[in-house]
Amino acid sequence: MLAAVVPSAFLQITTHPAGTRTLVTVSGEIDIDTEQTLQRALRLALARSSEGVDLDLTGVGFCDCSGLNVLLRVRRIALADGKTLHVRAADPCVERLLALTDTSSLLTSERAPVNGVVDDRPDRPSAAMHDLLEENGVADEAEELRVEVVQLKRAMVTRADIDLARGVLMASYGLSPEDAWSVLVDVSQHTNTKLHQLAEDLVVSVKGAPLPDHVQHQLSAAVAGVSDSA
């Protein structure tokens, strides 16, 4: 059974039945902080539809590779169940991400049914070429490579500031990598600050820019908490 979707202050998701499909409208920011919320919502919508999910992402003002990973992951689940996941409309920032990672054709293609079945694979080769590709595993490998590229981009773009912030906490308070991560998450939750923004603020604070008082207070409390439990 799928868990209920936990609301997020940074992401709003609504679902509506649309015939045999489900329309999911998303607004806000999709990143490492909200990816799990989006994934749970899409999987619930997918389970409640007989043919698949249509996505309206016009209200998404920011989306990094964390969000793209979710879309590709849920797409695979949909295809395994004989369903589809399609992005019907998107903000330009999402369109740029799909274009840069060469995944637009996987998520936005629309194909006519053949004998009642929709072929969701982009750029379908001839029957003879398809047999050759399938025999050598090239088709699956190509998609795996796309996903791997997405994951690498996510590691480069999303994690850099967070890793730097963990280093700052480790050096400043003598914390272990695990405790530094716990402190970041705790302060993020208690100050309603996005994780990547908190990380950026901590890194900048090393150069002399003070943290807001409420953030500094929560940071001190979180550090004391992990130190007491050590």
Side-chain angles (χ1 to χ4, degrees), residues 179-222:
D179 285 345
W181 173 253
S182 296
V183 167
L184 280 174
V185 172
D186 185 74
V187 175
S188 173
Q189 293 175 343
H190 283 87
T191 61
N192 200 29
T193 305
K194 295 182 70 60
L195 195 60
H196 71 83
Q197 183 61 59
L198 174 63
E200 290 176 8
D201 292 344
L202 279 171
V203 172
V204 172
S205 72
V206 175
K207 302 177 181 179
L211 292 171
D213 289 341
H214 72 290
V215 174
Q216 184 61 59
H217 174 76
Q218 289 296 335
L219 176 60
S220 299

Side-chain angles (χ1 to χ4, degrees), residues 67-127:
L68 183 53
N69 276 335
V70 171
L71 298 182
L72 293 174
R73 193 176 302 123
V74 176
R75 173 185 176 273
R76 285 188 170 190
I77 295 171
L79 293 178
D81 290 340
K83 303 176 184 180
T84 56
L85 175 77
H86 287 140
V87 176
R88 298 302 185 190
D91 182 88
C93 75
V94 179
E95 294 177 346
R96 284 195 298 271
L97 181 61
L98 298 182
L100 287 171
T101 55
D102 194 26
T103 53
S104 180
S105 60
L106 295 176
L107 295 166
T108 61
S109 59
E110 179 68 70
R111 299 186 180 276
V114 178
N115 297 326
V117 177
V118 176
D119 183 355
D120 196 54
R121 294 169 299 179
D123 303 324
R124 184 183 183 185
S126 65

Side-chain angles (χ1 to χ4, degrees), residues 179 182 222-230:
D179 285 345
S182 296
V223 170
V226 296
S227 298
D228 290 342
S229 61

Side-chain angles (χ1 to χ4, degrees), residues 18-19 31-32 34 95 108 133 135 144-145 150 180 205:
D31 56 16
I32 193 172
T34 57
E95 294 177 346
T108 61
L133 292 174
E135 179 182 346
E144 290 295 334
L145 287 173
V150 168
S205 72

